[in-house]
Amino acid sequence: MLTLVTGTTGQVGRRFVPRLIAQSRSGERVRVLVRDASRGEPFAELGAEVVVGDLRDAEALGKAVAGVDAVVNVAASFRGVPDEEAWAVNRDAAVELGRAAAASGVRRFVQVSTGLVYGTGRGRLLTEDDESRPGGSMWGAYPASKAEAERELFALEGLDVRVGRLPFVYGEGDPHLAQSLMWAKNWASAQRLHMGHHADVAQGLLRILHAPGISGRIYNIADDAPVTAVELHQLNGAEIPGELYERADPDPWLVLMSTERIRRELGYRPVYPSVYAAREAGAL
């Protein structure tokens, strides 16, 4: 089995690939697609094959998927990029990768998506059967493009597509936890953020990759304990703005996801059920 991984130099990809390689059995190989050869060197040292090219280049895609059995598309463009780039990478390039994979005979395609595709809350935990409802304070080109990519990939014929929807990812030196204050400082004190440690994101994606008979399935990946805006400030050692206590949460269930399906069907159990467990383990 040869697995291609894209987006390997991002925060998720760079932590997922070593875990994929570490759990590989005899005869299983990993290939990564990188835009810069030098950034592929750490993966090559771990035993991965390296293909240099851009996800938006058709020739590079052909080389990347040649002889591949499975694809894990981690690539994403968000946070501060122009909307056009978000659509070009998150939807257009993802769909072209899916088409190239189908044409090359790839058996499995794992699309890494985001819980933000749900849009507005439903007054309860979001399940994978909930449709996307554009709107809410976190909606924009990133979730819109990811939602459209999911729809178009599922429509491709002859490709076993499965989707993992991620929460706010943190841990292992990832700066995301500190960056959360960019939003949390403007929230209500009790407004919650659903999180997931890199170890558990990787665990979830590996389970989705290897599970038989789940073509067309979507799985939420997250921990057990969303944290409030106040907690995010405390975790970062930051002063809590008094205004937080004066605000009302406009959507208390925004992007809070149920993990019942991935637990029941794939045996997922978070290594770090809360950010506090990760902190106690020194895994932040």
Side-chain angles (χ1 to χ4, degrees):
M1 181 173 177
L2 174 59
T3 301
L4 168 69
V5 185
T6 69
T8 54
T9 58
Q11 299 294 344
V12 172
R14 74 178 64 172
R15 293 169 174 83
F16 171 72
V17 170
R19 288 181 164 99
L20 174 61
I21 293 173
Q23 61 84 59
S24 294
R25 299 175 181 175
S26 176
E28 294 180 345
R29 296 173 294 141
V30 176
R31 177 182 294 167
V32 298
L33 176 64
V34 295
R35 285 181 291 178
D36 184 332
S38 64
R39 302 185 74 180
E41 291 175 2
F43 304 116
E45 292 173 359
L46 294 175
E49 300 176 14
V50 177
V51 173
V52 179
D54 193 296
L55 190 63
R56 291 167 284 187
D57 183 305
E59 184 177 350
L61 289 186
K63 293 179 181 178
V65 299
V68 164
D69 299 292
V71 171
V72 182
N73 182 34
V74 186
S77 186
F78 60 109
R79 289 204 183 103
V81 303
D83 287 0
E84 303 78 44
E85 181 178 344
W87 283 98
V89 173
N90 301 327
R91 181 194 60 186
D92 300 344
V95 174
E96 287 305 314
L97 176 61
R99 289 174 178 150
S104 187
V106 171
R107 296 201 301 268
R108 294 180 183 177
F109 191 102
V110 178
Q111 170 68 359
V112 180
S113 191
T114 169
L116 295 176
V117 301
Y118 290 110
T120 58
R122 309 296 197 276
R124 54 167 171 73
L125 293 176
L126 294 156
T127 73
E128 294 86 347
D129 292 327
D130 288 323
E131 76 284 2
S132 179
R133 291 184 184 172
S137 60
M138 294 186 182
W139 190 259
Y142 174 57
S145 58
K146 280 290 190 178
E148 187 61 30
E150 288 185 23
R151 285 191 288 268
E152 294 195 29
L153 285 166
F154 278 134
L156 294 178
E157 294 185 5
L159 189 63
D160 173 348
V161 176
R162 53 275 299 268
V163 170
R165 290 177 175 166
L166 307 190
F168 184 87
V169 185
Y170 75 97
E172 300 177 353
D174 187 329
H176 283 169
L177 189 58
Q179 292 171 354
S180 69
L181 296 187
M182 291 190 295
W183 305 282
K185 68 181 180 182
N186 298 313
W187 288 357
S189 60
Q191 192 165 340
R192 294 177 292 173
L193 180 67
H194 212 163
M195 302 172 66
H197 192 277
H198 277 289
D200 292 313
V201 166
Q203 175 203 168
L205 293 178
L206 287 169
R207 289 179 184 275
I208 293 169
L209 169 64
H210 291 299
I214 61 168
S215 177
R217 296 295 272 172
I218 299 170
Y219 294 94
N220 295 331
I221 303 172
D223 69 14
D224 298 339
V227 295
T228 66
V230 167
E231 290 176 293
L232 289 170
H233 282 81
Q234 293 171 336
L235 287 162
N236 282 292
E239 182 179 352
I240 302 169
E243 311 89 82
L244 267 64
Y245 298 100
E246 301 171 2
R247 301 183 185 124
D249 186 349
D251 190 351
W253 294 93
L254 185 68
V255 200
L256 300 187
M257 301 185 292
S258 167
T259 57
E260 180 182 357
R261 176 180 289 180
I262 194 170
R263 287 170 173 274
R264 184 181 67 250
E265 296 184 5
L266 303 186
Y268 170 87
R269 297 292 185 277
V271 176
Y272 301 111
S274 74
V275 66
Y276 297 104
R279 184 177 67 178
E280 289 299 313
L284 293 183

